[in-house]
Amino acid sequence: MTEVRETQQAWYRSLDRTKWRALIAANLGWLFDGFETYALILTAGVAIKQLHPQAAGNLPFYIGLTIAMTLLGWGFGGIVGGVVADYLGRRKVLLISITLYSIFTGLSAFAWNWESFLILRLLTGVTLGSEWGTGTSLVAEMWPAHARAKAAGLMQCGLGLGFFVASAAWHFIAPLGASSWRYMFLLGVLPALFALWLRRSVPESEKWTKVARRRSDLQARSSLSTAERRYTRFTLRQILTDPTLRRLTILGSIMSTVTTLAWWGISTWVPAYVGSKAAAEGHDPQSYASTAGMIYNVGAIAGYISLGFAADRFGRKGTVFTYFAASLIMTPVLFLWTSDLTLVLVLCAVNGFFTLGQYTWMPVWLPEFYPTHLRATGAAFVFNAARFVAFLGPLLAGSIIAGLGGYGTAAAVVGLIYVVGMLVVPFCPETKGRQLPE
C-alpha cells in the first residue's frame, strides 16, 4: 500500500534526508574514482614520456599496459571490498576505500621511474575497486523500489562528473610543464577530506544491520538447518554454488565484461584520437584532447541519468539492450565514418551517452539479483571480475593502434563485443518495480 501511494506522487517527495545523504556519499565517492581514473587516461602519455623516454617509439602499448595494471588492481580490490562490505558494513568499507585511494593517488605524483609508477597504479587500482560495490549496495538498500533505478543513475553519473572535472583540470594544468601530470595526481589527495563528512553524516544500511545481526546469531548456534548453514556460508562461495545465483552471476559477468572491455579498449582512446585529428589539421592536440574529454563526459553524464530513469519507466531489459545496440553503431560512426573535426566533437557526446552511460545498468540491475547478505559481494564480483578480462582491451587496442597506425580499425574490431551483450540481455530477469530480495 505504501509503495502504491509513493508512485502516485512525484518520485522524490517520499524521500527523506537520510536517503539523499547516502546517494550523495556514493555519488561523490564515484566522482573521486572518476577523477582519478580519467586523470590517468589524460596524463599517461606525458608521464610515461618523462619516466621512460625509451617508450616513445611504442607509446600506445605502454599506455595500454599502465591502464591494464590499474584495471587488474581494481578487479582484485573490488571483489575483496565487496566481500568485506557484506561482513563489516557498507559505510565502514566506503570510508576505508576513499581514504586509501587518496593516499596512493597522491603517492603516484612522486613516482621516480616508470616501474614505480606502474606499481603505484596497481595499488591505487586495488583501493579504487572497493568503493563501487559498497556505494551501490548502500544506495540500493536505502532507496524505495519505485525510485531505485533513478538513484542508481544519479549515483553512477558521479563517474562522468569526475571525468569531466579531470578533463577541465587538465585543460589548465597541462600547460604548466613536463611535470604537470604530477599536479593532477596531487589533486587526488583531496577526497580524503570527504571521508570526514562521510563518517559523521551517513548512517549504515538498516537492511545490512539486520542481516549482520542474524548472521552473528546463527554463527553462535551449534545446530543449524540446511538453509541456515547456507546463510552463514562464505559469501563468495554462495554466489558461485547456488544454482540460481550462479546463473545470474554468469549472465551479469558476461554483460559486465562487454561494457568494461569495450569502454577501456575503445573509449579511453577518444581524447588521443581527437588530439591526433586536431594535430593533423594544425591545431593544438592537447587542447582538443581535453575538450573532447569534457564533451564526451557531458554526454556520459546524461547517459547515466537517462538509463536510470528509462529503466524505471520502460524496464531493465529493453533499456540495457538499447544502450548496447546504440554503442555498437556509434563506435564506427565516431572512429571510422566521420572526418570533420567539429562533427567528431559533437559525436563524442553521443558516443559518451551510450558507451559510458551504459555503466548504469550495473547499479540498477545487480543489487536486484542478490539478497542483502550477499549483495555487495555479488554486485562487486560481477562489476570487478570483468576487469580480469577487460584489461586485455587496452593492450589489444594499443597493439592494433601501434601495428596499423590508426585508431579506427582498433575501435571497430573491439566494438564488435557489444553484440555479445545484446545476446545475453534477454536471458536476465526483468526486475522493474520489485522489492530487493532479502
Side-chain angles (χ1 to χ4, degrees):
M1 183 65 69
T2 300
E3 190 65 30
V4 172
R5 286 198 301 267
E6 286 174 346
T7 56
Q8 290 176 346
Q9 60 180 337
W11 65 271
Y12 53 83
R13 292 190 181 277
S14 62
L15 306 172
D16 58 31
R17 187 174 300 177
T18 300
K19 293 179 176 60
W20 285 108
R21 284 177 176 173
L23 175 59
I24 290 170
N27 175 277
L28 288 177
W30 202 221
L31 184 153
F32 299 142
D33 282 11
F35 176 91
E36 205 288 333
T37 302
Y38 216 65
L40 173 63
I41 294 170
L42 292 169
T43 64
V46 178
I48 292 171
K49 284 179 182 178
Q50 183 181 98
L51 296 172
H52 189 36
Q54 295 81 3
N58 196 13
L59 194 58
F61 171 78
Y62 283 93
I63 293 174
L65 180 59
T66 304
I67 294 173
M69 289 297 288
T70 303
L71 281 176
L72 283 175
W74 194 329
F76 176 77
I79 293 172
V80 171
V83 172
V84 174
D86 273 335
Y87 287 100
L88 296 185
R90 288 47 167 133
R91 176 178 169 273
K92 183 179 293 185
V93 174
L94 189 62
L95 181 66
I96 293 171
S97 171
I98 291 171
T99 302
L100 288 179
Y101 80 64
S102 296
I103 293 172
F104 285 114
T105 296
L107 290 175
S108 298
F110 299 98
W112 57 94
N113 56 28
W114 180 66
E115 291 77 12
S116 66
F117 186 63
L118 205 62
I119 292 172
L120 286 168
R121 297 315 309 157
L122 176 65
L123 294 173
T124 302
V126 170
T127 53
L128 275 172
S130 59
E131 191 280 327
W132 183 88
T134 307
T136 292
S137 298
L138 181 67
V139 171
E141 290 167 3
M142 294 185 70
W143 277 60
H146 74 277
R148 193 165 53 236
K150 298 179 183 69
L154 293 169
M155 185 210 83
Q156 192 70 24
C157 81
L159 185 72
L161 291 171
F163 284 5
F164 182 85
V165 171
S167 297
W170 185 236
H171 183 79
F172 296 101
I173 292 175
L176 298 181
S179 294
S180 56
W181 64 273
R182 298 185 187 272
Y183 306 142
M184 284 288 286
F185 289 114
L186 282 175
L187 288 177
V189 177
L190 296 178
L193 299 176
F194 164 69
L196 300 175
W197 174 82
L198 174 62
R199 182 179 181 183
R200 183 179 66 251
S201 303
V202 179
E204 183 54 85
S205 161
E206 292 182 5
K207 289 181 180 291
W208 176 83
T209 301
K210 179 180 177 181
V211 300
R213 188 180 301 116
R214 183 187 178 198
R215 181 188 283 124
S216 180
D217 291 342
L218 291 175
Q219 289 173 338
R221 289 165 47 183
S222 57
S223 178
L224 298 176
S225 66
T226 301
E228 289 172 337
R229 281 196 296 272
R230 284 199 298 266
Y231 196 89
T232 59
R233 189 177 294 162
F234 182 53
T235 57
L236 191 57
R237 181 185 176 190
Q238 289 184 66
I239 69 168
L240 296 176
T241 57
D242 179 275
T244 300
L245 294 179
R246 181 172 61 238
R247 178 178 180 274
L248 291 174
T249 299
I250 291 172
L251 292 174
S253 296
I254 293 173
M255 291 193 299
S256 177
T257 300
V258 169
T259 295
T260 307
L261 189 152
W263 189 79
W264 284 97
I266 301 171
S267 298
T268 53
W269 299 98
V270 166
Y273 169 67
V274 175
S276 69
K277 289 188 70 66
E281 296 184 18
H283 303 294
D284 179 11
Q286 291 289 355
S287 176
Y288 267 83
S290 63
T291 299
M294 287 187 283
I295 292 173
Y296 177 85
N297 285 295
V298 167
I301 292 167
Y304 288 134
I305 298 172
S306 296
L307 193 154
F309 279 73
D312 266 344
R313 177 71 181 275
F314 304 109
R316 280 50 168 157
K317 283 189 177 184
T319 301
V320 178
F321 184 91
T322 299
Y323 268 69
F324 278 136
S327 297
L328 175 67
I329 295 170
M330 287 307 305
T331 296
V333 169
L334 174 63
F335 284 92
L336 283 177
W337 302 337
T338 307
S339 58
D340 181 77
L341 188 56
T342 301
L343 185 55
V344 165
L345 290 175
V346 173
L347 290 175
C348 283
V350 182
N351 188 278
F353 185 96
F354 293 108
T355 60
L356 189 50
Q358 74 178 249
Y359 266 97
T360 291
W361 79 258
M362 290 188 243
V364 167
W365 226 352
L366 293 179
E368 299 170 342
F369 284 5
Y370 301 97
T372 301
H373 69 293
L374 304 173
R375 184 162 295 121
T377 298
F381 179 85
V382 171
F383 182 75
N384 291 289
R387 282 159 175 74
F388 294 121
V389 177
F391 85 95
L392 297 171
L395 292 178
L396 175 64
S399 298
I400 295 175
I401 292 168
L404 301 181
Y407 296 93
T409 302
V413 170
V414 179
L416 294 174
I417 193 69
Y418 286 121
V419 174
V420 177
M422 295 165 63
L423 294 174
V424 172
V425 167
F427 293 95
C428 294
E430 179 55 68
T431 54
K432 174 190 172 184
R434 297 182 188 176
Q435 298 295 331
L436 289 176
E438 295 293 338

